[in-house]
Amino acid sequence: MSPSLESAIDDLWERHEAGDVSAATATEDDLATLSDFLDALEAGEARAAERRGGDWEANEWVKRGMLLTFGLRETAAREYGDVTYNDVLPLADTASYGERGTRNTPDGTVVRRGAHVGEDCILMSPSFVNVGARVGDGTLVDSCDTVGSCAQIGANVKLGANTLIGGVLEPVEEAPVVIEDGVSLGAGCRVTSGFVVGAGSVVGENTLLTPRIPVYDLVDEEVYYGNLPPERRAFTRFVESSIGEHDLFEGGAYKPAVVATTLEDRTLEATEREEVLRS
């Protein structure tokens, strides 16, 4: 990616913050900059977050570019099949997906302009991939899945059906949800608020992963907030709440928690059997 694109976005952001440009006054050059920016996102040349020094950090200029995309474009009527919808962005052009081995099934698989979808992916309908999201090579996005804006999904990830991957667009300095390479999320999982799921982990169905819920890691014998270490098997359990006993809670009150253990051979074998879905 050309450094000039980052500089152009930074300059446009300063003008926008100073009140010198708006959706009504944006020039063709301004909109061309935003179009180049969306192209860079789709090509994977720009991304909302990257790992630096072992930690995931937001690329603030990218998130500013996304905010400008909404702030400097007018809502327009657009066509999708026989439906007219109104948005500031068109849908992504998915015509080239087949050339890189990616499948997207019809009637409900929606990829918004500015989302990156890699090679050999499978997008089942209905599913939704929002602007700024990154879906790595070989990843399965199953039916009724949502991948939020800026979410970073690694390579060879399996998102079980009815899974929600939240997005973090604002504040711009906050890293989004990250699902690292080789993760398998069971059906109905929810990952929100910048949570990081470590590489190779297998998460049981209907597990909620958010920084507000503790992860009791039985491997490191530590309690983590906001991340699940790599190579873990994780599932939901309930622990005693600080509310304690109360007349409204017979036997005491409980709150959700996540328990993480080592991966077992049978867990890995079950995950490997599901690889047939990708072929």
Side-chain angles (χ1 to χ4, degrees), residues 4-265:
S4 61
L5 179 59
E6 180 176 349
S7 297
I9 292 295
D10 286 341
D11 290 344
L12 194 54
W13 178 260
E14 290 180 4
R15 290 169 53 205
H16 179 261
E17 289 297 281
D20 294 335
V21 62
S22 66
T25 62
T27 66
E28 290 187 6
D29 286 344
D30 295 332
L31 296 179
T33 294
L34 294 179
S35 182
D36 290 345
F37 168 70
L38 293 172
D39 287 342
L41 284 173
E42 291 184 6
E45 296 168 357
R47 57 188 301 177
E50 294 179 86
R51 182 185 283 280
R52 299 186 182 93
D55 295 321
W56 284 91
E57 297 181 1
N59 286 324
E60 295 185 24
W61 77 270
V62 172
K63 298 179 79 175
R64 291 191 183 105
M66 292 175 59
L67 292 172
L68 288 169
T69 294
F70 294 112
L72 299 184
R73 289 176 179 267
E74 300 280 5
T75 297
R78 306 177 188 276
E79 301 293 326
Y80 178 71
D82 297 327
V83 176
T84 299
Y85 70 98
N86 297 273
D87 198 0
V88 296
L89 287 175
L91 301 182
D93 183 355
T94 61
S96 65
Y97 281 15
E99 298 173 4
R100 54 181 187 262
T102 287
R103 288 191 272 151
N104 58 312
T105 58
D107 292 334
T109 302
V110 177
V111 181
R112 213 170 181 204
R113 176 89 161 97
H116 171 75
V117 177
E119 299 181 356
D120 300 317
C121 295
I122 299 175
L123 309 179
M124 298 299 293
S125 59
S127 60
F128 178 68
V129 182
N130 208 348
V131 58
R134 181 184 180 93
V135 178
D137 297 346
T139 285
L140 168 65
V141 180
D142 212 338
S143 298
C144 301
D145 288 351
T146 296
V147 180
S149 59
C150 298
Q152 304 291 291
I153 312 296
N156 301 312
V157 169
K158 177 185 178 295
L159 303 182
N162 198 31
T163 290
L164 169 66
I165 307 299
V168 179
L169 181 53
E170 295 184 277
V172 295
E173 67 273 9
E174 186 173 328
V177 171
V178 176
I179 312 296
E180 295 185 341
D181 295 349
V183 167
S184 178
L185 296 181
C189 285
R190 301 288 186 267
V191 189
T192 68
S193 304
F195 196 97
V196 177
V197 181
S201 290
V202 177
V203 181
E205 62 185 21
N206 295 317
T207 300
L208 173 60
L209 298 174
T210 179
R212 295 177 296 278
I213 292 179
V215 175
Y216 292 88
D217 184 27
L218 305 186
V219 179
D220 292 342
E221 297 187 350
E222 296 282 351
V223 179
Y224 295 108
Y225 287 87
N227 71 287
L228 175 68
E231 303 292 333
R232 297 293 195 269
R233 182 172 68 93
F235 46 88
T236 298
R237 288 293 182 266
F238 288 86
V239 298
E240 291 186 6
S241 170
S242 58
I243 295 174
E245 294 187 6
H246 192 281
D247 291 343
L248 291 176
F249 301 99
E250 183 177 352
Y254 293 84
K255 61 183 179 181
V258 174
V259 175
T261 66
T262 57
L263 286 173
E264 300 175 3
D265 290 341

